[in-house]
Amino acid sequence: MFNTSAIQYPKSKLSILALLALNAVIYGFTDTLTSFADALVWVVLLVIYELEANKVGLPLGETAMRHLRSGLIGVIGLVFASYWRDSEWLDVANSLLWFGLIAILETEVRWPDYVRRHPRFFWLATIATFTGLLAMAGVWLARGAWLDGYDALLWIVAFGFIEVDIFHLLKRKRSV
């Protein structure tokens, strides 16, 4: 059974999730179906990672959750192919950086022992990925693409605080 009492969710995290869901709706009304699907699938994937990270009991088993995550990642792959086909190179570059972050997260979930054996590599990979994502947000803002820039910054905050716990990550710098 779904155990929502197992997670103490701060209001800041709920606010970020609400803003991300709102962004998906805004993309649904103002942009392409591809952008809407992209935003919506990422929100669902973020929630799944958060629930798994907090060991919230879900009605699906571990295998079903892995298949669901893989399916969502597959949809993100199709969105990426659409960006590539349409020569939307900023979206392609941004997607590649997010794929890198997902690879890091999937490795942490599926092979935690490997991550524990190589903490410096995973710390550096995470820092490099977030740096690239910040650069992408800056490019969109510099080009006047305010919704894309805002959305990019909001996702960085979301993954930084919700999934990666950026404060913990930055503290690891001293011990690595």
Side-chain angles (χ1 to χ4, degrees):
M1 192 69 186
F2 187 70
N3 182 5
T4 57
S5 65
I7 187 171
Q8 297 297 316
Y9 222 69
K11 290 178 184 173
S12 60
K13 288 184 177 186
L14 287 173
S15 298
I16 290 169
L17 285 174
L19 288 171
L20 290 170
L22 178 61
N23 277 10
V25 171
I26 291 170
Y27 275 113
F29 284 110
T30 65
D31 211 22
T32 65
L33 179 61
T34 302
S35 295
F36 170 67
D38 194 19
L40 183 62
V41 169
W42 278 104
V43 170
V44 173
L45 193 59
L46 176 66
V47 169
I48 288 171
Y49 277 126
E50 179 65 6
L51 293 173
E52 287 178 329
N54 286 284
K55 309 234 185 297
V56 174
L58 296 172
L60 300 174
E62 186 177 320
T63 301
M65 287 304 296
R66 189 175 316 121
H67 290 306
L68 178 59
R69 276 195 325 270
S70 295
L72 292 169
I73 292 168
V75 170
I76 291 168
L78 292 173
V79 168
F80 173 77
S82 172
Y83 291 150
W84 186 280
R85 182 195 67 225
D86 296 339
S87 300
E88 296 177 20
W89 300 118
L90 283 176
D91 288 313
V92 167
N94 189 58
S95 294
L96 288 171
L97 288 164
W98 282 106
F99 291 160
L101 185 59
I102 289 299
I104 292 166
L105 294 172
E106 281 293 312
T107 303
E108 289 175 350
V109 168
R110 294 179 190 222
W111 302 287
D113 292 337
Y114 182 78
V115 174
R116 280 191 287 277
R117 287 192 310 270
H118 305 284
R120 183 170 178 78
F121 171 79
F122 283 93
W123 178 80
L124 289 171
T126 304
I127 293 297
T129 303
F130 273 104
T131 300
L133 290 168
L134 283 169
M136 289 303 306
V139 169
W140 271 310
L141 291 172
R143 290 181 170 217
W146 301 111
L147 181 58
D148 289 330
Y150 165 75
D151 184 64
L153 290 172
L154 183 59
W155 274 104
I156 292 164
V157 169
F159 266 82
F161 286 97
I162 293 175
E163 193 55 48
V164 177
D165 189 357
I166 200 73
F167 292 122
H168 177 70
L169 177 72
L170 292 174
K171 279 192 249 179
R172 286 171 49 189
K173 180 180 181 182
R174 293 186 193 116
S175 64
V176 173

